[in-house]
Amino acid sequence: MKGTILVVEDDATFRAFLETVLQDDGHQVQSAADGEKALRLLRQGSYDLVVSDLKLPGKSGLDLFRETRNDPAAPQFIFLTAYGKVGEAVAAIKEGAVDFLTKPLQDPEVLLRLVRHVIQEQLRERDYLSLKQCEAAGLPPEELIFAGQAMAPVRKLVHDVADTTANVLIFGESGTGKELVARTIHQLSSRRDAGFVALNCAAIPETLLESELFGHEKGAFTGAMQARQGKFELARGGTILLDEIGEMPLALQAKLLRVIQERVFERVGGTKEIKADVRLIAATNRNLREEVAERRFREDLYYRLNVFPLQLPPLRERIDAVPVLTRYFMQRFSLQSGKTLKGIEADALAALERYRWPGNIRELQNVMERAVILSRDKVVKTALPEEMLRKPEPDALDGRERLKSAEKEIIAEAIRKHGGNRRLAAEELGVSRRTLQYKLKDYGFLEES
């Protein structure tokens, strides 16, 4: 949780001291010797936090705070003050400042703890705002959709194909995010301003599927009391996703093939040709090559759909995405339930990373919804299903997981050996402190406060 901080202090020695302390903690720091210069910097740039002396030459720290606090992008303020000016600092807090510390600053760690807390709360608030925007748009950020190293090649292919007219066929197990990838292709395409229409071919009875796709005229069949548009008409100018395309009956496959080839169709019971101005994306959890060999899927349709194939890996092959997705779902369901959870317990996250996820991301989403309901301050291990708390036998781990488990134990032993001193542990392991810090966070040794 690192931020951009403006230090405002007229004492050059103390100002340099504050800059050094904050920079060593990883923050980006700029400084000003008086309120006027600080105000110019605040108007020119973006800051997460201002650490300011109350008493400054000319414009005071309190004046600076009052002049900027109504700006929607205004940073938070922490004031530094001599003991005799505590009353002014308390007044500033009543007006909205975060806190104050008295000078001289005996223990820099007190300031760092306060700064980290403020930055973390700000970033958490930004996460919630971003999440609200995602919920409104119906599509998470790409960093979530393509989380995990195994999805990096998929993301590149999506960007390559998005603004073309090529048909796309997305392969992947149930719950791997095929519809989200299809929606991303649509949003990146020139058709983004038109509709995105999805149809699950497995969810519609065979007798009604043709009408769902192409619509029907009044009286076309019993119960057709009026004419109705199908998905191809509703998606005009946009994109249509045919999910679970492998479940489409053979007779209807032939009609879909004609639409792809001739770009026209008729409603059920109609004779008028309607132009099919749509981008076609299909998705399946089946092996369509095997379906073709077994004559359950038309070979000519397969090749028409499979112009640009995308294979989505299952979640068990992108375990490095679990922490990112877990926090996203935690925030999402916390927002929906009105809770404010601070994070996830290290043991709980470790259990989620060990699990094999047969239901993929959809299963993780369901697990996190339940866990948020059962948790109070943070997501805890006891809120997870029992099967996730059992450690798998060593033979059940693949090579990557065994390597990760071994590395985690080596790091833990080095930390224990040096009494928690990360610098000495990093030296023994032959890595930089930054690399060790990343590994500690990645393996769940560092909990969010």
Side-chain angles (χ1 to χ4, degrees):
M1 297 289 184
K2 308 305 178 186
T4 303
I5 302 172
L6 177 61
V7 172
V8 191
E9 170 60 54
D10 60 327
D11 185 310
T13 302
F14 190 46
R15 184 171 66 248
F17 167 73
L18 291 173
E19 288 184 58
T20 301
V21 167
L22 293 169
Q23 286 172 345
D24 286 349
D25 201 45
H27 304 286
Q28 295 182 20
V29 183
Q30 285 188 292
S31 65
D34 57 67
E36 292 292 347
K37 181 181 178 182
L39 186 59
R40 289 196 299 272
L41 289 173
L42 286 171
R43 286 171 175 169
Q44 292 169 1
S46 176
Y47 298 88
D48 299 305
L49 178 65
V50 175
V51 177
S52 175
D53 194 348
L54 262 178
K55 185 178 180 181
L56 295 166
K59 193 183 297 294
S60 72
L62 192 54
D63 291 335
L64 183 65
F65 168 66
R66 286 169 175 166
E67 286 191 38
T68 59
R69 64 181 174 181
N70 293 325
D71 187 332
Q76 300 278 20
F77 271 70
I78 294 174
F79 285 114
L80 303 170
T81 183
Y83 184 76
K85 297 289 185 179
V86 167
E88 291 183 25
V90 172
I93 291 175
K94 290 180 179 179
E95 292 185 37
V98 174
D99 209 338
F100 72 92
L101 299 173
T102 57
K103 296 193 301 184
L105 197 61
Q106 300 292 343
D107 183 2
E109 188 61 32
V110 175
L111 171 64
L112 290 178
R113 282 198 297 268
L114 181 55
V115 166
R116 291 168 194 154
H117 173 74
V118 173
I119 298 295
Q120 180 176 336
E121 289 300 312
Q122 283 206 310
L123 293 179
R124 183 177 289 126
E125 179 64 23
R126 288 178 193 168
D127 284 343
Y128 275 107
L129 290 175
S130 175
L131 186 59
K132 287 181 180 178
Q133 293 172 347
C134 291
E135 293 288 307
L139 194 66
E142 283 190 33
E143 288 70 21
L144 285 163
I145 297 172
F146 300 101
Q149 291 184 359
M151 286 293 282
V154 178
R155 185 178 189 175
K156 181 182 183 304
L157 291 173
V158 164
H159 279 262
D160 288 341
V161 77
D163 210 15
T164 71
T165 59
N167 295 332
V168 178
L169 183 55
I170 305 175
F171 297 92
E173 296 178 9
S174 293
T176 49
K178 297 188 289 295
E179 182 172 338
L180 285 178
V181 170
R183 288 182 180 273
T184 302
I185 293 172
H186 173 72
Q187 287 297 325
L188 293 171
S189 77
S190 58
R191 294 174 174 264
R192 68 180 68 88
D193 293 329
F196 176 91
V197 177
L199 177 69
N200 188 325
C201 299
I204 308 296
E206 183 176 337
T207 54
L208 298 178
L209 186 54
E210 183 178 1
S211 174
E212 283 292 321
L213 284 171
F214 307 124
H216 61 256
E217 298 291 355
K218 180 179 179 180
F221 49 83
T222 303
M225 306 301 294
Q226 58 185 11
R228 180 173 179 270
Q229 291 183 328
K231 301 301 185 186
F232 272 91
E233 285 185 79
L234 294 173
R236 184 183 292 113
T239 303
I240 186 169
L241 168 65
L242 300 182
D243 201 2
E244 305 301 347
I245 190 71
E247 306 294 333
M248 182 176 286
L250 282 167
L252 197 50
Q253 290 178 31
K255 295 184 179 182
L256 177 60
L257 180 63
R258 176 177 178 255
V259 175
I260 295 173
Q261 292 179 157
E262 301 180 20
R263 313 302 294 178
V264 294
F265 63 93
E266 296 97 30
R267 291 178 180 174
V268 176
T271 56
K272 178 184 176 181
E273 288 189 341
I274 301 172
K275 186 178 179 181
D277 177 21
V278 296
R279 167 74 173 282
L280 179 60
I281 302 176
T284 182
N285 61 6
R286 291 192 178 193
N287 186 326
L288 289 189
R289 287 185 179 274
E290 292 182 1
E291 296 296 301
V292 169
E294 296 293 329
R295 298 186 180 279
R296 291 191 293 265
F297 200 85
R298 291 182 63 106
E299 185 175 21
D300 47 7
L301 177 59
Y302 170 70
Y303 287 116
R304 284 288 187 175
L305 295 173
N306 196 37
V307 175
F308 199 92
L310 289 174
Q311 180 71 52
L312 304 191
L315 187 54
R316 62 183 173 275
E317 293 179 10
R318 47 188 289 217
I319 289 297
D320 55 335
V322 168
V324 178
L325 294 170
T326 295
R327 288 184 173 89
Y328 166 69
F329 288 129
M330 179 194 71
Q331 291 170 347
R332 177 179 173 184
F333 294 121
S334 296
L335 181 65
Q336 292 178 0
S337 63
K339 290 186 174 183
T340 305
L341 300 184
K342 293 182 178 179
I344 180 168
E345 196 177 58
D347 287 346
L349 183 58
L352 295 176
E353 290 181 295
R354 286 194 303 267
Y355 188 60
R356 300 295 293 168
W357 299 108
N360 293 297
I361 300 172
R362 187 178 295 121
E363 184 181 9
L364 175 58
Q365 176 179 327
N366 293 341
V367 166
M368 288 307 299
E369 183 173 12
R370 175 182 183 272
V372 167
I373 292 171
L374 296 177
S375 299
R376 295 294 177 264
D377 184 49
K378 61 172 59 178
V379 174
V380 294
K381 186 176 178 180
T382 53
L384 302 180
E386 180 63 32
E387 63 268 21
M388 294 182 182
L389 304 181
R390 294 192 294 267
K391 291 188 176 181
E393 296 297 324
D395 291 343
L397 299 173
D398 60 25
R400 185 187 303 173
E401 289 172 324
R402 290 199 301 272
L403 181 62
K404 185 174 181 178
S405 178
E407 183 180 58
K408 187 174 181 179
E409 289 187 13
I410 291 170
I411 290 173
E413 176 59 31
I415 291 291
R416 284 195 296 269
K417 178 179 177 181
H418 295 287
N421 189 309
R422 296 174 195 165
R423 180 180 63 80
L424 295 178
E427 289 176 359
E428 177 177 319
L429 295 169
V431 299
S432 67
R433 287 185 67 184
R434 179 170 295 190
T435 298
L436 179 60
Q437 184 82 358
Y438 171 81
K439 292 290 185 182
L440 290 171
K441 183 177 180 181
D442 189 42
Y443 289 139
F445 289 113
L446 300 182
E447 294 187 39
E448 295 183 3
S449 60

